[in-house]
Amino acid sequence: GAHHNDRSEYTFGSIALPCYHSTRVNSRIPNPCLTSADEGDVLDPDYRLPVAIATGSGLFTLGTFGLGAPLSLPFGALAAFLASRANKIRFVFREESLEIQTMEDDAERRVGQNFAVGGRNSWRYCDIIEWAMYPSPENPVLVYFRERSTRPSGQGHLFPVLADPVQLRNSMQQRIGEKKRVTGPPSL
């Protein structure tokens, strides 16, 4: 359906960044291989983290009259990498599972293999035993969850927040449950 974006500002330290909030809770990207019942809630990408890192890197370089460039270059590269991942990676909340999907060039989403532990990037909500957002659910930079389907003793997963943080927090609360949210350090 039709919608519009409301522009506001997101403050990162003393830097105010433009932020566009979709009036839809979750966007849906059509995939002809899936039925509408299987589509799930696809979270909107969010570029605030890479923009904030790039802005901080640039300001550091300018603030040191270019002398900080050798230190700023790795952060600029990190910002570019995170922006490219925000463009490709989607958090999808299906009826019974959370999936991390990759956008292909043909605009189709695919569930990939987990590079670190193997297996599909798909986890049932009932197997997720805890989750958190760091440094806080209101201003997250990282999202964490621990599940027991990869390993019976539990496997932790830590991702940069490259999806709309409000949609992500609301989906985690609604689908996984507020009771499973933890506030301490992650158990990776």
Side-chain angles (χ1 to χ4, degrees), residues 23-55:
T23 57
R24 292 183 294 184
V25 174
N26 294 309
S27 66
R28 295 180 186 264
I29 299 171
N31 182 336
C33 299
L34 301 173
T35 65
S36 59
D38 291 331
E39 193 64 26
D41 292 328
V42 181
L43 303 190
D44 294 326
D46 188 86
Y47 297 91
R48 285 178 266 193
L49 180 59
V51 167
I53 292 171
T55 301

Side-chain angles (χ1 to χ4, degrees), residues 4 47 112 121 128 156 159:
H4 67 280
Y47 297 91
N121 282 326
I128 297 175
F159 297 96

